[in-house]
Amino acid sequence: MGNLSEHFSRHEFRCACGCGGDDKIDKSLIAKLENLHNLLSAYQIIITSGFRCPKYSPTVGGYTTDAHTKGIAADIIVYKTPSEKYDSATVAEAAERVGFSGIGIIDDTAVHVDVRNLSNYFNSHWFGDERTGDDFIKTFDRGTVFTPRKKTIPISVVIDEHKYSGLITEE
Ligand SMILES: [Zn+2]
Ligand SMILES: [Zn+2]
């Protein structure tokens, strides 16, 4: 259990330059990352870059006002199992399904996702592929049927003054 949500902790999003910046992480970014985790039944989502301060972002290929500096973006690699990564096309497709408004394929496994809109950014939509420089991808959707993880819900019941606790799985 992370301190931001079930699967994510604040330190994972901290600026890598050492400035300590991590206070701007957008709640809807975390909520969508949780939805993505669930849709892909992920083993783990690794945040390779989360918040970046305006000084640091240009040193790793971004710019001083990019989505990372606003706390609305994450570069991610999604593990299907402890040793197998999802390919970036599948991650981008699932990211589109859960409603990320900014999605950019970085390489064969890494994907940039963000929750840009006109109140937090200069535009409200970007689907791109950094490998080709294509900034006008219409959709990543290939019609893949995902099988999201079923949620387990803790329950406890009292029968004849005995308390029974356990987990039930949502149908
Ligand atoms: Zn920094
Ligand atoms: Zn990024």
Side-chain angles (χ1 to χ4, degrees):
M1 183 80 189
N3 61 16
L4 285 174
S5 67
E6 188 176 356
H7 297 103
F8 299 99
S9 293
R10 187 167 290 280
H11 71 86
E12 298 174 85
F13 294 86
R14 193 166 293 152
C15 183
C17 88
C19 69
D22 66 2
D23 55 337
K24 284 190 180 174
I25 292 304
D26 191 281
K27 283 195 176 74
S28 69
L29 173 68
I30 302 302
K32 283 196 168 53
L33 285 169
E34 283 291 349
N35 291 343
L36 182 67
H37 199 296
N38 189 52
L39 184 62
L40 287 171
S41 295
Y43 171 74
Q44 195 175 9
I45 295 180
I46 302 286
I47 310 297
T48 60
S49 188
F51 176 73
R52 302 196 300 232
C53 68
K55 270 187 189 164
Y56 176 65
S57 204
T59 70
V60 289
Y63 42 103
T64 57
T65 58
D66 70 25
H68 287 273
T69 69
K70 314 287 184 201
I72 59 171
D75 296 345
I76 60 174
I77 292 174
V78 184
Y79 279 82
K80 190 174 191 171
T81 69
S83 59
E84 189 190 353
K85 296 169 186 173
Y86 275 107
D87 63 89
S88 50
T90 304
V91 174
E93 183 177 21
E96 183 176 340
R97 295 277 180 91
V98 302
F100 281 104
S101 49
I103 302 170
I105 289 179
I106 297 168
D107 62 28
D108 290 351
T109 56
V111 179
H112 165 106
V113 292
D114 70 55
V115 290
R116 70 184 64 195
N117 59 56
L118 289 177
S119 65
N120 64 21
Y121 209 58
F122 73 89
N123 68 12
S124 58
H125 182 82
W126 172 63
F127 285 177
D129 188 334
E130 295 182 10
R131 297 171 301 186
T132 59
D134 185 353
D135 286 323
F136 301 98
I137 290 172
K138 279 209 179 81
T139 179
F140 294 105
D141 206 316
R142 304 169 298 178
T144 300
V145 177
F146 295 106
T147 48
R149 182 186 294 118
K150 286 180 175 168
K151 285 195 178 117
T152 53
I153 301 157
I155 56 153
S156 62
V157 293
V158 177
I159 300 169
D160 293 340
E161 295 175 13
H162 292 282
K163 190 174 173 184
Y164 300 89
S165 298
L167 294 169
I168 57 166
T169 301
E170 193 182 65
E171 287 307 318

